[in-house]
Amino acid sequence: MTQTVVITGASAGIGRATAQLYGRRGANVVLLARGSTGLEAAAREVEQAGGTALAVPTDVADHEAVAAAAERAEDRFGPIDVWINVAFTSVFAPFDRISPEEFRRVTEVTYLGYVHGTMAALERMKPRGRGTIVQVGSALGARGIPLQSAYCGAKHAVNGFTESLRCELLHDRSGVRVTVVQMPAVNTPQFSWVLSRLPRHPQPVPPIYQPEVCARAVAYAADHPGRKQYWVGASTVATILGQKAAAPLLDRYLARTGYDSQQTGEQQDPDRPNNLWQPVDGEHGTDHGAHGVFDDRAHSRSPQLWASQRIGPLAALTGVLLGAAAGLAVARRRR
């Protein structure tokens, strides 16, 4: 049956790449974002790929707008099968250079936007006893870094909120599933439009991955929502495990390296447009697409992701090989 999938933040980055992927699957794809130019371009890509698109301009910080978008989705396509929360915004600056209003705005979009999307999805999925919610998280939801306090705080909140919800769904024996995909540094347009008070152009901390890698992980998680979390990229694994094992050492390391590693050598225009309050790809604006400006440095594959998606077969194969090795060793000793 044709899936109906809602994607927030669908006009660029991971959301845009995920919409393209579901378009190739022939899905009904409902695209939510603020910027009309990017939203319309994403809808065309879905249609050209073989899917059916519905673009709904939406600010996820507005709960009523998100609920109305969900209603439009079901009026058009019927029950929502998968809801994917991706939309976010951020401020690149030391904490004491972020205003209360700016911090609140990042929190309302990057955290409460996920809450609003999950509420809208759950209201429709839970009575039916089926459906999947995918939260696109970040390694920075487990390990905060300097210059991104608002974003890191919001991503930490997404993890805590989702854990609580998962427990409630298990208690209710609900057929609705929720999972989180923790992302690495990704080559998205956000680094060209984020509100930044850094002297140089912001960049993702290498290694950098293309958004299509992340889109494949999101779709896999939606297809296999039984796992609590999926980790994308070896850097995500290292960050999350490093935080568990040696958080104080990471504090000192990031204090030394975290400023320079998040900036290129290019000076930044302090008056460049940013998308904190208004989209930079509004009506008659520029479509930024899924990719940012770091194509020449971004990886299009993740061996770690491939392995993690095949953990069962790989574990079985490892067991067979270890058993065979043990058998050979016993046979040699007997001889």
Side-chain angles (χ1 to χ4, degrees), residues 97 194-202 266-274:
R97 294 191 62 196
V194 69
L195 173 58
S196 173
R197 296 197 172 96
L198 307 180
R200 290 173 280 138
H201 192 289
E266 176 187 345
Q267 293 298 307
Q268 178 182 251
D269 178 2
D271 298 319
R272 73 174 191 171
N274 69 79

Side-chain angles (χ1 to χ4, degrees), residues 45 58 79 121 127 131 146 161 166 191 208 263-265 285 287 290 302 304 314 326 328 331:
E45 289 173 350
T58 308
F161 146 67
R166 184 181 295 106
F191 299 95
I208 306 167
Q263 300 177 74
T264 69
D287 172 32
S302 168
Q304 172 275 331
L314 286 175
L328 287 172

